[in-house]
Amino acid sequence: MTVLGFGVIGTGAIGTEHINRITNKLSGGEIVAVTDFFPEIAKKVVEQFKLDAVIHPDDTSLIADEKVDVLLVTSSEAAHEATVVAGVEAGKYVFCEKPLAISAQGCMRIVNAEMKQGKKLVQVGFMRRYDSGFVQLKQVIDNNDIGNPLMIRASHRNAEVDESYTNDTAVVGTLIHEIDAFHWLVNDDYKSVQVVYPRKTKYAHNNLQDPQIFTIETISGIVINIDVFVNCQYGYDIHCEVIGEEGIAKLPEYPSVVMRKEAKLTTRILKDWKHRFKDAYDVELQNFMDSIVKTGEPQGPNSWDSYITAVTADACLKAQRTGEKVQISFQAKPKFYNEKIAQ
Ligand code: NAP
């Protein structure tokens, strides 16, 4: 069996989670190298998971390591682009956590580097596409079971966020998952976005408008309403309902025992995003490894998908600032990315 050698750049929260799943749950991958701005964190992870991995001083040295087939980029957002471009230029496969780059131009630089290599090398960590509920919802839409989708009503709610979370984070850290998932879900591109701020919750700090409602329209006219409410207090909650011409399809609730007790009907709501999508992260990474071995290219969300999310996110940020309806337009999709449909 082929075993892909992973080099991990950034051994923080999600880096550690992915190291754990590659080492202890999934098959076909081995962590052979790590690096972090804090070498002591990298060392701690190597010890924690008893890895036979080289601790590199930086990403340049890790990319040059011949044992590394795949870069797992789980560093901070602003560091992704430079690492991914260097990795692609060295011909390495890359699994990069979102965002691929912090600007649309940055994503285009990666797109161009990848096309120059003549081969798809990059997959981005948009794990919603691997969540069994989202996969079932997409099947219903693709089968035409509810006819043409007309509207989507969705919510992205967190119990609470800290002071470092700003209005921008609501788009680039939170809504970014819906931006990626919904154009994939309905096979359509985005046309415009507008943002409305309802009455602000007393739990939001001064620099944050919370909740926010994003209305995104697609080329075919589907209107998508998403509330981002990150101090909702009660838990981590993801909703999505697609209203079609022939019926309505709803994302299943995360499974939890329903209890009848003391004249109450109750079911548990998760508190942490890590738990809500833990299975999706497993499927995503297993699928990434399997498709490289079977087809020579990752088949999941790619650099072009990231360009789409970055352009749309920029429009959402502008809509937040202006209160106006902002038009969204993309460059023509290169043929290179049309050959295979992501996931
Ligand atoms: P984190 O805990 O801060 O870990 C990132 C680590 O990488 C930090 O120790 C950081 O050091 C280090 N680092 C930054 N740039 C580096 C570089 N060039 N070389 C080596 N190490 C570097 O962050 P996290 O929460 O794991 O998030 C990492 C990424 O995953 C982010 O892009 C985040 O948006 C994404 N993420 C995705 C999901 C998802 O649902 N798909 C969930 C969580 C996180 P410094 O602190 O000094 O920068």
Side-chain angles (χ1 to χ4, degrees), residues 328-343:
I328 305 172
S329 61
F330 306 104
Q331 292 189 27
K333 188 173 182 179
K335 237 177 106 196
F336 182 83
Y337 290 97
N338 274 329
E339 285 159 12
K340 284 183 189 118
I341 296 161
Q343 166 57 12

Side-chain angles (χ1 to χ4, degrees), residues 167-199:
N167 260 4
D168 284 12
T169 321
V171 172
V172 299
T174 300
L175 184 74
I176 201 83
H177 283 294
E178 276 77 17
I179 293 174
D180 176 69
F182 291 162
H183 83 95
W184 161 78
L185 194 64
V186 295
N187 299 308
D188 204 350
D189 276 328
Y190 300 129
K191 192 168 74 178
S192 68
V193 58
Q194 192 160 21
V195 183
V196 170
Y197 299 121
R199 179 179 176 177

Side-chain angles (χ1 to χ4, degrees), residues 284-295:
E284 161 190 71
L285 271 171
Q286 188 63 64
N287 196 293
F288 170 76
M289 290 187 276
D290 292 347
S291 32
I292 288 175
V293 172
K294 281 189 199 134
T295 71

Side-chain angles (χ1 to χ4, degrees), residues 9-15 35-38 41 59 74-77 79-80 83 97-99 125 127 177 273 281:
I9 296 138
T11 52
I14 198 147
T35 187
D36 194 283
F37 271 166
F38 299 100
I41 295 184
D59 56 354
T74 45
S75 51
S76 328
E77 279 85 352
H80 293 181
T83 301
E97 265 308 333
K98 59 85 190 162
M127 75 295 179
H177 283 294
W273 55 266
Y281 290 118

Side-chain angles (χ1 to χ4, degrees), residues 34-39 54-62:
V34 295
T35 187
D36 194 283
F37 271 166
F38 299 100
V54 177
I55 302 172
H56 285 274
D58 54 34
D59 56 354
T60 309
S61 151
L62 182 143

